[in-house]
Amino acid sequence: MTSLYARHKRTTLAIATAVAAGALLATGVTTGASAQTPVSDAGKKATLAGAPLQLSAAARTSLIKKAEAATPETAQQIGLGTKEKLVVRDVVKDADGTLHTRYERTYNGLPVLGGDLVVHQSKSGTTEGVTKATKATIKVASLKPQITSAKAEKQALTVAKSAGSEKTSADRAPRKVIWAGNGKPTLAFETVVGGLQDDGTPNQLHVITDAATGKKLYEYQAIETGTGKTLYSGTVTLNTTLSGSTYQLTDGTRGSHKTYNKSHTTTSSAGTLFTDADDTWGTGAASSSTTDQTAAADAAYGAQVTWDFYKNTFGRSGIKNNGVAAYSRVHYGNAYVNAFWDDSCFCMTYGDGSGNTHPLTSLDVAGHEMSHGVTANTAGLNYSGESGGLNEATSDIFGTGVEFYAANSSDVGDYLIGEKININGDGTPLRYMDKPSKDGGSADSWSSSVGNLDVHYSSGVANHFFYLLSEGSGSKTINGVTYNSPTSNGSTVTGIGRAKALQIWYKALTTYFTSTTKYAAARTGTLSAASALYGSTSTEYKAVAAAWSAVNVS
């Protein structure tokens, strides 16, 4: 579960999702798509050899089944031990026929956390390389715990309570795992703690405990949006569904995305599906009423545009790339100043903000939150340390991509995060991609202590890299916003355009990043992506290297 805020010592809020609120009007059963025309950095070009293909559901299923049938042979080919088995998670096929198959791993039947890997095969079936979350050999001396699962659970509950968790309890009994996320692979217990965090965000704290010593090895939080008048995006077109004589806020053209009303509750249920008699949604103004449709309209619009962005930019059909939509929940909690993605319910949730009149439903927030779902279903970047910063940056990067894609005159594309929702109360955005440190906490460049920052601040390194790769260094004005991006090494970086930068980041995320990827590995992964897409001697490849060097990642 991921949230929009950073959490200072887990006691204060910091935004971590996207906001999109407004009123929408729709006049047909499945009328319209987006009222805006997408923008791009360049005209339509031939498909790149290394670009991912848009696979039909049948083709994707066929490739997954073929990979599953070959897991014993694949495990042997890549040198895994006899106690290790592969579990297919996903497959990506490039235009030139290259296959990238993502696997989880087990050891003697136990899940190996941090053992995920990607096997890269040529069109002929030859293995060309393997990207592993850990290079360590998976082997433990004993599979018999020296502590009880009850002790591991008690420790996990203590960790959660010390962070201010309320209604704290284990969601399920601790399970035995092999922890390979860092250092020597270790027999461990994984405990998932439920309840609520100190700001009302649902809790899914994963605590990994050494099964021999009882020492905590790791922890991460798994909680990471008719025609109408929206609060943030102006007048837009929505797709709705007519059921009898009542319209439902269900988009039947995009995986049946639905928008629900939580009515200021914090329960785990979806809530009540928004319906309307005349297909006119919201008023374009915020309201503290739990029946207000404006926030719902913005959330539905955000989901609609995000779906189109991923499909038309990367050929990705939905968050899981299986044609099925997530769902959205608005009016969560009472004056809840946050929003979050929860992969366990496969849903986005938005609070109404201060006084229940500042919903966190803006377009870039919607794109940010749903992109957490894409990360969870591809690289699965652990939401802690440097990998957590990369996770957050990925959502900022694609949330920004969504905002530019929409070409909405009421919310023009920019490299500012959450500028519409005014969380700070002074009109400033939540984060700045051109110079992240302007928010007072984010890192402009890498240092050995970056991994100790909250993930919403360690994300600054990757956000800054993406801005430099897209637009270059120095002063410039884009869509009326002035930027002045510095470099840590004093270099001058020339951008390659946002469209290419997005393609490189997406390919790296889906084919070269793993759950434990840190910044040095992110540099390697994006260089591999640039090489596959544009060639190892290309301007794009050299720009990736220069942009990483400019944020002190080598």
Side-chain angles (χ1 to χ4, degrees), residues 60-374:
R60 181 172 177 268
T61 298
S62 177
L63 287 171
I64 289 175
K65 287 184 176 179
K66 184 177 180 180
E68 288 173 340
T71 52
E73 179 183 354
T74 303
Q76 185 178 34
Q77 285 179 346
I78 64 175
L80 299 189
T82 57
K83 293 184 178 181
E84 297 176 80
K85 295 185 183 302
L86 292 173
V87 179
V88 180
R89 182 176 175 184
D90 198 10
V91 62
V92 174
K93 186 175 184 179
D94 293 343
D96 64 1
T98 301
L99 281 178
H100 309 273
T101 307
R102 189 176 293 276
Y103 299 90
E104 301 289 351
R105 199 180 339 179
T106 64
Y107 176 84
N108 209 39
L110 298 178
V112 180
L113 305 185
D116 51 303
L117 54 89
V118 184
V119 176
H120 313 284
Q121 292 179 306
S122 67
K123 182 178 181 179
S124 65
T126 302
T127 298
E128 297 184 323
V130 182
T131 302
K132 294 182 178 180
T134 179
K135 295 181 180 180
T137 300
I138 307 300
K139 184 177 182 180
V140 295
S142 172
L143 294 176
K144 183 178 180 180
Q146 299 301 304
I147 66 167
T148 65
S149 61
K151 181 175 180 179
E153 180 176 327
K154 182 178 179 180
Q155 182 207 65
L157 293 175
T158 299
V159 170
K161 289 177 180 177
S162 67
S165 177
E166 300 177 4
K167 302 179 181 179
T168 301
S169 63
D171 279 355
R172 58 176 182 264
R175 65 169 181 165
K176 278 201 306 182
V177 299
I178 304 298
W179 172 247
N182 49 38
K184 181 180 178 181
T186 305
L187 180 69
F189 283 108
E190 178 193 38
T191 307
V192 182
V193 182
L196 299 174
Q197 297 178 51
D198 56 8
D199 68 341
T201 303
N203 201 28
Q204 283 184 23
L205 182 67
H206 291 239
V207 181
I208 313 300
T209 306
D210 191 315
T213 67
K215 177 184 177 182
K216 187 188 77 172
L217 298 173
Y218 193 76
E219 68 172 280
Y220 71 94
Q221 182 60 249
I223 299 291
E224 300 183 32
T225 120
T227 299
K229 301 173 183 177
T230 70
L231 180 60
Y232 300 112
S233 299
T235 299
V236 298
T237 299
L238 289 184
N239 278 339
T240 60
T241 300
L242 181 63
S243 177
S245 61
T246 302
Y247 291 92
Q248 299 177 339
L249 204 47
T250 299
D251 187 347
T253 66
R254 296 177 178 85
S256 293
H257 174 272
K258 299 177 185 296
T259 305
Y260 292 91
N261 187 358
K262 287 298 295 174
S263 301
H264 292 170
T265 66
T266 58
T267 60
S268 60
S269 66
T272 304
L273 181 66
F274 276 94
T275 60
D276 191 78
D278 62 4
D279 213 14
T280 299
W281 307 87
T283 64
S287 167
S288 61
S289 170
T290 58
T291 61
D292 171 54
Q293 295 179 347
T294 300
D298 262 317
Y301 174 65
Q304 179 174 293
V305 175
T306 301
W307 178 284
D308 290 351
F309 164 75
Y310 274 102
K311 186 171 184 178
N312 296 329
T313 305
F314 308 119
R316 188 176 189 86
S317 182
I319 287 172
K320 288 187 176 180
N321 202 20
N322 62 356
V324 178
Y327 65 87
S328 296
R329 309 185 301 176
V330 299
H331 300 318
Y332 174 88
N334 185 21
Y336 176 64
V337 191
N338 219 328
F340 60 87
W341 167 265
D342 185 350
D343 204 53
S344 66
C345 68
F346 200 55
C347 68
M348 300 80 74
T349 303
Y350 303 96
D352 284 330
S354 177
N356 286 319
T357 57
H358 296 80
L360 279 79
T361 49
S362 68
L363 194 53
D364 57 351
V365 175
H368 174 111
E369 287 311 321
M370 284 176 272
S371 293
H372 276 306
V374 174

Side-chain angles (χ1 to χ4, degrees), residues 398-420:
F398 291 139
T400 294
V402 167
E403 191 176 75
F404 273 103
Y405 174 88
N408 187 302
S409 60
S410 295
D411 187 3
V412 297
D414 54 49
Y415 292 94
L416 309 174
I417 308 301
E419 73 282 357
K420 285 285 187 177

